[in-house]
């Protein structure tokens, strides 16, 4: 075994063989992504030819139903492909995650509408998380005015979405079958939205997760749907038996572990050549050796756990029925664990890299900022552990997705 | 409230070893508090300009903060060590870069105690006198008539943008080109001081955190420096001013001061965190942050770790000062104790800041709130030599009756 | 060396707030150190007999350790809080069960301040007077002529085997069977004191750690206790002795004392760990423990955490005492600060002990070495109410300007 | 999902289906082991009928070659079966681990000798780790005097072993092919050893890991072998392509995770009924919920990681050649990670269980002592992380096994 980042990379990914296709395509894009990473951060846009290559790789459509021109790949392939992209640039991986998340609305649309939207092979959809905005129900559709934040990927999107509560003509809020105000997703071409340049953050700057607003916009009923009731979906298959929140968690886990893996690999390379002032070679330090191994174990264990969890649930999933609350808890737990492991590894690597790590251009500085932006995202919240704990203790939260 | 630098949650530190402190110190801390408010309001400008803007620099001079560790004979404060640590904490709670410059400038200003009184007065007498230098013996001082001819390049000169003087650590070479040896037969070094204007300063300071320190690179070529504007930093026996403060090596000053900087960042972060918790409810959360039992518990744990690290640093530097003030010599135990307390404050501190940042949720990633800057600053302080985890090994060796692996940071 | 209770690696604590302490305390700590040597030598007997053997109990009485918190008017020490915390640490470094009994007995002895002087003298005057009791209001005191008729059962009475008196926390019932209400309209309670011989004590104390505390269960049936040998623990206004110590509630005493117990276990463990590291090479290891860089570093980290937790507890109790001694009232801030410092010491402490145990390697599992007992003891201290992690939540609420969830441990 | 320990137990063990046989037999023994646990601790012996049932289950021969009457099962089955036994009693699991470790000498013996020793279906072998003892080479074999410690299982053993350096007739030490003093293992019936009652420990008391001595004992050459050179083995198969140290690590990992799993399950049950003085129900505390989920993730992730690692290496292992140093590092890392996770979970559970945990008879007290005895064993040492770190950093330790 020789001293190189490859050594770390070569450690077993239990079931990786099965997903070689998507992962292999992701790996092939690695050098181009790495070469574009500075530009992506600086311009907060994905430059050509990278954007075209990403479309060609079909990695932005892994979760889109085959019926609408997507890959409809497994969640295991999805996780490992995102992880591979994130090894080269976290912002690109994040936008890949977002692209594969917004397409999850497709199974809830009327098929002809979905086909119309996604017939363009470069269709990308973006939106921000729900807030208190309301759309008014009008004849044939909805009329909406509002603003949303955190719309990652909007700078490459040709379609936008907006999650709204629905206000009926009489001023009352429309309720869903659970008796709570419904959240309806309205879709419209990006030209109808006003994109606002607000994304001034510590990291993931390349995602351009800007804000956007619309004013008195009409959206036809057919271009709207709701994600809140898994039973309303129209496309069968085990992939869609997973909940949308669950697949979000899987994608986010991949971004986090890929970023941490890249830092870990870069640190192994650094340790073999760095001798800090007044000390010996980093690689010769027993403390560093122990830490490198622990980091490797954290990444590989959390990955194997997520692989195994997804594979078991996927294998047993019904074509139609959504997976059980217990299974949702398993997905959530394995994802939260992976994100947690990634953050811990990134922090440990950063600390051990010393003063090298604070300079832009090092393999650590941007990734450190990126992972500490991810760590604040809702998918990384430690409250997920509490929710899963409630399931394990026999009292699942009421609307656990 | 949290954003103007006034700590909310932390009771004033108990004044420890009051008897041993010198007069005038309460004034120093009080002056620091007043300046802190201005610095807090200007922290964005400090970061964007990657230096202390003139008005804020002037406020620090007005408060005489760069004079804390100068001899009283030339209008300095000669504060005790605990007060110095508390001042760096107070300033860092407002702006870490300003505090870092203060810590570094204060350490450099200790050189005044090596100079003849009239030279010290000439160089450090002006109210805006600040000395900065880069790390390491990177230059050459060739002996010439009445002084040295100095050439070399130095990096990481924190505070170089507002410094009036720069320093250059050099190997001494005789006029004939032979290295000068000291009494122990080793290469003799000196530090030459000269006006900043004499050096070529290059702006290279583009980093993740502590951006406001302007820690540039500078060089001089064949600059002649008079002998009495040079000194031998290693020769504690050559210190001219004999009071308690100047019997301390600068390693102790840096360890205490930069420990204080990290504690200040932590204090500011926890104060900010408490402030947003008073109003924020995270998306999808069942209760407000303030009412969340998990948040309450985590906040108290962070507070406990902060208070404990702070209590250790304060009692440790206070003990050292008390002993020194009573005329006792500085022992290896003293050095080890300060090393451990400072390393612990820095390592605990960066962990607490990272945890607080995470607890603050998604707003924390935006520049509009102070969290992301404090995270970057803390993660830059921790990367500097004072925060190295290997210091624990050095201390461990001492606890096990082994000789230190290095004296460089003791 | 490490096995006879003399700490090796820890410098004597700096004496903080000297001015505010009462006289005679240096003596208390010195007496404790002498007894500690004997206790260390007898720790196996304490554990096997699940009580303090007569000779060791006598040594503690000889050193007047159970009289630390008794009024000077009846021959007690009325030590300050910091000294009390230091004494419990000193004893716990030798034997945790003895220290636990001391902490518990000292807390119980605070009742003397509620009694009429002649009654206090009668009950607590004897040199071997020790009061023990079990937790909670578990009994009934029915009013009878001149006193109460008491029945009930109590558990967890640490030190009950060497106690001369037992206490019984009871609800008061009138002769007619009606509950007696206090001024606030709630059930009135009292604590009745009586000679141990009057109770039926059952040996139930078979536990993992702190085995030597003999924390038995006892009961009495229809025992008549004179009114002046009862007291109302909640009525701080009924305290007869008005000095600084007796203005402190026992929650503060327990928090400080049991924090001290944990710190003592940590100190003893680190001292033992250092001792074996001086000679041991682990099977298959490339260097001796002493020469291992990882061990050196881990040892220093443990030491730093210990020192920091200790510095926080010491400065916190010292601040409280200084304020109280100056005549100020005990505030909620004081209570919260002590709660946080004590909870932190206990939680940090048990983690450090577990880490030190692991670092000690395979020998540590055998009863011949002190590690396994200290591990069991620390993990019993941490399970007791003083160590509850939920205390962090209570403190967090205060930091967030919310009212405490409970005052029970403040 | 209902509130019961079963909830936790039912979480996916990715590949458990494949090993149902050994794991199933282990599970069937659970109630009998649980019922005997107090006796095992108190008497430091395995009582009947438990001992006979253990023999009948063939769980003590999972690693013995089929050629000598063993099961020669997979390492994955071995790990999960030990884990299952440890859920009920750690000392029994430990002795199962020891029994399956000592039989690993069998592939290094002449087949007829191995067959002779193991033809008795109740044969159990015990020994302590090597120390400085020397055997003298004499005509036809060795003559030895010495004492060894930590001989777990010796009270049930009918055969004992002793690891010795060999002193030639001329007083020199015999060297192995690596140029270091050889360590030879001498085997002899237990009646020839003097067992010493020395096992007074904090935990794992039921293992009776006593000391033993022999005086001037003659052992014939054929009843000796060496474990130090994997190339000397005579039995093919992927199981034996793993190193002995590696399989030790696997067994130890199973004991640790099973013990921690039992504490975790017991805590879930406790949390649903315990209300500490002055507080609400444990299960209702958000902090407890989060901790339960984290513990579940630690146990499941470390298990999935070890499963995946063993399965990948087993699938690729040669019939004859020993696995590579890199693979040995993977096994070691996954095992060390599992042990570490188990100790962390046990500590967390113990702490949260409060004062209940200190009383004998609670599901926590003995297991806490047991796991803190394991934590001191050489397999649990954190130095393993350093050794693996050296491999990852490109400088494998010279004799990594």
């Amino acid at each position: 075994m020789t001293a190189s980042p490859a050594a770390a990379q070569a450690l077993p990914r239990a079931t990786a063989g099965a997903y070689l296709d998507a992962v292999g395509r992701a790996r092939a894009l690695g050098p181009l992504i790495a070469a574009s990473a500075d530009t992506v951060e600086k311009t907060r846009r994905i430059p050509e030819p990278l954007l075209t290559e990403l479309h060609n790789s079909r990695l932005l459509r892994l979760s889109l139903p085959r019926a609408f021109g997507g890959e409809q790949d497994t969640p295991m392939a999805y996780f490992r492909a995102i992880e591979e992209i994130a090894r080269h640039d976290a912002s690109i991986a994040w936008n890949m995650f977002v692209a594969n998340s917004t397409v999850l609305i497709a199974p809830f649309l009327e098929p002809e509408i979905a086909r119309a939207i996604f017939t363009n092979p470069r269709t990308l959809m973006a939106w921000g998380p729900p807030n208190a905005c309301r759309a008014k129900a009008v004849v044939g559709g909805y009329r909406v005015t509002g603003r949303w934040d955190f719309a990652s990927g909007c700078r490459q999107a040709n379609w936008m979405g907006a999650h709204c509560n629905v206000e009926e003509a009489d001023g009352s809020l429309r309720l869903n079958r659970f008796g709570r105000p419904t959240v309806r997703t309205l879709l419209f071409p990006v030209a109808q939205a006003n994109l606002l340049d607000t994304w001034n953050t510590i990291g993931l700057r390349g995602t351009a997760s800007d804000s956007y607003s619309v004013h008195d916009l009409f959206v036809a009923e057919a271009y709207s749907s709701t994600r809140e009731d898994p039973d309303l979906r129209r496309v069968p298959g085990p992939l869609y038996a997973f909940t949308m929140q669950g697949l979000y968690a899987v994608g986010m886990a991949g971004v986090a572990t890929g970023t941490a893996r890249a830092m870990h690999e870069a640190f192994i390379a650094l340790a073999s050549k760095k001798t800090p002032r007044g000390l010996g070679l980093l690689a010769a330090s027993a403390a560093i050796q122990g830490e490198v191994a622990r980091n490797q174990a954290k990444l590989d264990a959390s990955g194997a756990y997520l692989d195994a969890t997804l594979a078991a649930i996927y294998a047993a999933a019904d074509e139609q029925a959504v997976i059980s609350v217990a299974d949702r808890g398993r997905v959530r737990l394995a994802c939260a664990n992976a994100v947690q492991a990634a953050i811990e590894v990134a922090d440990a690597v950063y600390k051990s890299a010393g003063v090298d790590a604070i300079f832009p251009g090092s393999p650590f500085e941007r990734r450190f900022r990126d992972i500490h932006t991810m760590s604040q995202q809702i998918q990384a919240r430690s409250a997920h552990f509490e929710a899963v704990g409630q399931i394990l203790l026999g009292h699942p939260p009421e609307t656990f997705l | 409230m949290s954003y103007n630098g006034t700590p909310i949650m932390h009771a004033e530190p108990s004044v420890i070893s009051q008897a041993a402190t010198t007069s005038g110190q309460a004034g120093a801390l009080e002056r620091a508090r007043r300046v802190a408010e201005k610095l807090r309001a200007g922290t964005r400008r400090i970061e964007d300009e990657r230096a202390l803007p003139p008005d804020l620099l002037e406020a620090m001079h007005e408060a005489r903060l760069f004079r804390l560790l100068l001899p009283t004979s030339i209008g300095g404060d000669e504060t005790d060590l605990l007060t110095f640590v508390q001042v760096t904490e107070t300033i860092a709670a407002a702006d870490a870069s300003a505090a870092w410059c203060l810590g570094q400038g204060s350490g450099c200003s200790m050189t005044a105690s090596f100079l003849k009184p009239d030279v010290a007065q000439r160089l450090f007498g002006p109210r805006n006198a600040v000395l900065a230098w880069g790390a390491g013996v990177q230059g050459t001082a060739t002996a010439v008539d009445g002084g040295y001819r100095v050439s070399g390049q130095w990096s990481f000169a924190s505070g170089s943008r507002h410094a009036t003087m720069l320093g250059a650590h050099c190997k001494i070479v005789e006029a004939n080109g032979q290295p000068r040896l000291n009494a122990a037969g080793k290469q003799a070094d000196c530090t030459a001081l000269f006006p900043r204007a004499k050096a070529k300063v290059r702006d290279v300071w583009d980093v993740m955190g502590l951006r406001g320190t302007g820690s540039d690179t500078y060089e001089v070529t064949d600059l002649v420096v008079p002998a009495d504007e040079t000194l031998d930093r290693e020769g504690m026996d050559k210190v001219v001013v004999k009071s308690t403060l100047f019997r301390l090596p600068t390693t102790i000053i840096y360890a205490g001061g930069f420990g204080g900087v990290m504690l200040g960042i932590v204090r500011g972060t926890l104060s900010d965190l408490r402030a947003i918790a008073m109003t924020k409810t995270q998306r999808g959360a069942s209760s407000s942050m303030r009412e969340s039992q998990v948040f309450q518990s985590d906040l108290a744990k962070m507070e406990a770790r902060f208070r404990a690290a702070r209590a250790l640093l304060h009692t440790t530097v206070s003990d050292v000062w008390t002993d020194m003030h009573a005329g006792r010599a500085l022992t290896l135990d003293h050095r080890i104790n300060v090393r451990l307390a400072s390393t612990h404050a820095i390592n605990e501190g960066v962990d607490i800041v990272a945890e607080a940042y995470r607890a603050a949720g998604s707003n924390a990633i935006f520049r509009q709130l102070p969290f992301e800057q404090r995270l970057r600053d803390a993660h830059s302080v921790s990367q500097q030599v004072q925060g190295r985890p290997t210091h624990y090994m050095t201390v461990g060796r001492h606890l096990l009756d082994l000789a230190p692996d290095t004296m460089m940071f003791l």
Side-chain angles (χ1 to χ4, degrees), chain A, chain B:
Chain A
M1 206 164 187
T2 60
S4 84
Q9 206 181 318
L11 280 198
R13 297 192 184 161
T15 38
Y19 324 129
L20 251 186
D21 196 34
V23 175
R25 280 178 280 144
R27 195 165 293 147
L29 282 178
L32 181 58
I33 294 175
S36 314
D38 281 348
T39 309
V40 170
E41 166 146 58
K42 215 164 291 168
T43 63
R44 289 182 279 151
R45 302 293 182 268
I46 303 178
E48 288 295 354
L50 178 55
L51 184 58
T52 295
E53 288 305 320
L54 279 165
H55 281 301
N56 291 345
S57 74
R58 301 177 58 74
L59 291 173
L60 307 179
R61 315 200 131 200
L62 292 181
S63 305
L64 184 65
R66 293 204 192 97
F68 311 138
E71 295 282 301
Q72 203 175 332
D73 209 327
T74 66
M76 300 78 88
Y78 176 49
F79 164 58
R80 290 299 191 181
I82 288 215
E83 181 183 54
E84 180 59 33
I85 296 292
R87 284 185 54 238
H88 305 288
D89 185 69
S91 285
I92 298 293
W94 184 272
N95 280 359
M96 171 179 165
F97 145 55
V98 168
N100 280 290
S101 297
T102 51
V103 300
L104 292 172
I105 195 78
F108 294 85
L109 293 170
E110 285 172 34
E112 62 273 29
I113 300 290
R115 222 167 275 125
I117 291 176
F118 291 102
T119 188
N120 175 353
R122 292 175 68 107
T123 284
L124 287 175
M125 195 176 280
W127 60 46
N131 53 28
C133 276
R134 294 178 175 195
K136 289 188 194 209
V138 295
V139 176
Y142 305 90
R143 196 161 279 284
V144 62
T145 296
R147 172 188 157 135
W148 296 263
D149 307 311
F150 297 103
S152 305
C154 65
R155 299 294 175 174
Q156 287 81 44
N158 55 345
W159 279 84
M160 298 294 291
H163 308 300
C164 309
N165 290 130
V166 175
E167 189 178 305
E168 302 288 8
D170 65 0
S172 67
L173 279 183
R174 186 183 294 176
L175 302 182
N176 61 22
R177 73 172 170 104
F178 310 109
R180 273 186 291 273
T182 194
V183 177
R184 195 129 191 109
T185 304
L186 314 184
L187 305 178
F188 44 88
V190 69
Q192 299 183 5
N194 179 25
L195 301 193
L196 309 166
D197 192 344
T198 58
W199 188 243
N200 189 3
T201 55
I202 180 174
L204 288 181
R205 295 177 66 81
T207 63
S209 305
D210 284 322
S211 303
Y212 60 104
S213 64
V214 296
H215 183 73
D216 201 26
L217 174 68
F218 174 78
V219 176
E221 181 70 39
Y223 284 86
S224 79
S225 184
T226 180
R227 313 174 299 163
E228 66 200 349
D229 187 348
D231 294 334
L232 296 178
R233 105 180 121 88
R234 300 156 189 247
V235 180
L239 174 63
Y240 306 112
F242 286 78
T243 63
M244 218 174 281
Q245 290 295 334
L247 291 175
Y248 291 177
V250 171
M252 163 78 191
V255 184
T257 61
T259 307
R261 229 173 239 288
M263 291 179 75
H264 172 62
E265 291 159 7
F267 182 73
I268 286 178
L270 177 76
S272 299
K273 45 178 215 237
K274 176 167 177 170
T275 302
R277 182 149 66 102
L279 295 175
L281 187 70
L282 271 186
S285 148
I288 292 293
Q289 292 160 3
E291 185 175 278
V292 163
R294 279 174 215 274
N295 288 344
Q296 185 78 50
K298 275 186 189 169
L299 291 171
D300 287 349
S302 62
Y305 178 33
L306 186 50
D307 281 343
T309 304
L310 295 175
I313 295 172
Y314 189 82
D318 191 79
E319 283 291 302
Q320 201 58 57
V322 67
I323 62 173
S324 67
V325 169
D327 280 344
R328 290 173 218 172
R330 284 164 198 144
V331 172
R332 181 56 55 91
L333 184 56
C335 291
N337 182 65
V339 171
Q340 183 62 38
I343 293 169
E344 285 171 15
V345 168
D347 280 350
V349 164
Y350 181 86
K351 216 178 255 183
S352 294
V355 79
D356 284 308
I358 71 171
F359 285 97
S362 83
F364 307 107
E365 192 265 351
R366 177 166 57 228
R367 290 188 174 107
F368 181 78
R369 290 187 287 105
D370 287 345
I371 209 155
H372 276 286
T373 305
M374 279 173 236
S375 69
Q376 305 308 91
Q377 212 263 356
I378 191 166
Q379 292 295 346
R381 235 185 250 163
S382 68
H384 293 311
F385 286 105
E386 293 156 32
V388 175
Q390 291 171 32
I391 298 176
L392 291 169
L393 288 160
H395 297 285
E398 266 188 54
T399 56
F400 189 82
L401 288 174
Chain B
M1 30 194 232
S2 67
Y3 304 123
N4 65 15
T6 313
I8 299 167
M9 56 200 306
H10 308 294
E12 287 306 298
S14 56
V15 178
I16 298 159
S17 303
Q18 190 111 36
T21 55
T22 58
S23 66
Q25 68 184 63
L29 195 48
E30 186 48 40
R31 270 143 42 209
R33 282 200 195 100
R34 284 196 297 264
V35 177
E37 292 181 30
K38 293 183 193 158
L39 292 170
R40 187 77 204 104
T43 191
R44 181 60 44 83
R45 284 192 293 137
I46 295 173
E47 171 148 301
D48 288 346
E49 298 178 21
R50 289 180 294 129
L52 294 170
D55 59 320
L56 298 179
L57 179 63
E58 170 55 25
M60 288 179 79
H61 284 315
E62 176 69 30
R64 306 178 55 257
L65 292 187
F66 286 102
R67 307 190 74 75
L68 296 179
L69 304 190
L70 283 173
T72 51
S73 57
I74 59 167
D77 272 14
E78 283 189 42
T79 58
D80 67 289
L81 196 50
L82 177 59
T83 298
F84 174 63
V85 170
Q86 290 174 320
V87 167
T88 57
E89 176 186 320
T90 301
I91 298 297
D95 185 82
S97 287
W100 187 270
C101 289
L102 178 60
Q104 185 63 36
S106 299
C108 293
S109 75
M110 297 278 286
T111 53
S113 66
F114 287 81
L115 303 173
K116 285 184 211 155
D118 60 319
V119 180
Q121 176 65 42
R122 185 169 75 238
L123 299 185
F124 288 96
R127 71 187 283 281
N128 67 338
V130 174
L131 170 63
W133 61 44
V137 180
Q138 305 287 348
T140 304
T142 307
V144 296
D145 213 27
Y148 300 95
R149 199 176 67 243
V150 173
S151 296
Q153 175 177 309
W154 297 263
S155 301
F156 290 103
S158 296
S160 64
R161 307 224 177 137
H162 59 256
T164 55
M165 294 170 282
L166 292 173
H169 308 310
C170 300
K171 293 179 188 179
I172 303 179
V173 173
E174 301 293 0
N176 64 9
Q178 292 296 306
R180 180 180 297 177
L181 302 183
N182 61 21
K186 299 217 172 119
Q187 169 70 55
D189 300 334
C190 75
T191 298
L193 311 181
F194 43 84
R196 179 181 190 276
K198 305 256 183 176
K200 190 172 147 198
V201 179
R202 281 183 297 124
D203 173 353
V204 298
W205 193 245
D206 179 16
V207 287
M208 190 175 80
L210 293 180
R211 292 178 66 80
T213 60
S215 305
D216 286 333
T217 294
Y218 59 94
E219 61 177 293
V220 295
T221 310
D222 290 339
L223 176 68
V224 174
V225 178
D228 66 1
E229 296 181 3
T230 71
L231 61 140
D232 175 4
R233 286 190 300 159
E234 300 303 310
M236 288 294 286
D237 51 318
K238 295 176 192 124
V239 169
V240 175
V241 187
K242 298 295 187 190
S243 56
T244 304
L245 175 62
F246 300 110
R247 290 167 50 225
L248 287 171
T250 51
T251 45
I252 300 281
I253 302 293
Y254 289 132
F258 294 135
V261 171
M262 182 60 92
L263 291 173
I265 301 175
V266 177
R267 193 168 82 172
T269 307
L270 291 179
S271 174
D272 295 338
L273 178 62
R274 178 183 176 281
I276 67 156
M278 297 304 278
T279 58
K280 182 170 173 173
T281 297
Q282 293 191 312
R283 187 158 66 87
S286 56
S287 60
S288 68
M289 283 176 76
R290 189 185 182 199
E291 293 285 355
S292 155
Q293 296 185 351
V294 173
F295 179 77
Q296 290 162 358
S297 178
D298 287 349
L299 181 68
K301 273 181 210 165
M302 290 186 258
E303 176 78 10
R305 291 171 65 191
F306 164 68
R307 288 187 187 186
R310 187 173 188 257
L312 178 61
L313 185 60
H314 284 188
T315 54
T316 304
V317 299
S318 183
D319 287 351
V320 170
W321 184 266
T322 303
D323 283 354
M324 298 286 284
H325 202 65
R328 289 188 281 274
L330 186 74
T331 64
L332 184 55
D333 275 337
H334 284 136
R335 292 171 185 264
I336 287 283
N337 289 345
V338 171
R339 180 72 277 147
L340 185 62
S342 172
T343 302
H344 191 62
I346 294 172
N347 281 277
E348 276 282 278
V350 69
D351 287 350
I352 298 169
V353 170
E355 245 185 72
Y357 169 87
R358 289 209 63 190
S362 60
N363 291 350
I365 66 176
F366 286 100
R367 289 199 70 200
Q368 286 83 330
L369 284 185
F371 295 99
E372 65 92 28
Q373 184 184 337
R374 295 214 204 260
L375 182 76
R376 290 187 286 105
D377 286 342
H379 276 90
S380 297
V381 174
S382 66
Q383 302 307 85
Q384 203 263 358
V385 289
Q386 294 293 331
R388 274 194 192 162
T390 49
H391 294 322
Y392 284 115
M393 191 187 77
T394 304
V395 174
R397 292 181 62 85
H398 181 72
L399 296 175
L400 292 160
D401 287 350
L402 294 168
D405 53 328
T406 170
M407 289 297 289
M408 196 183 282
F409 305 107
L410 288 178

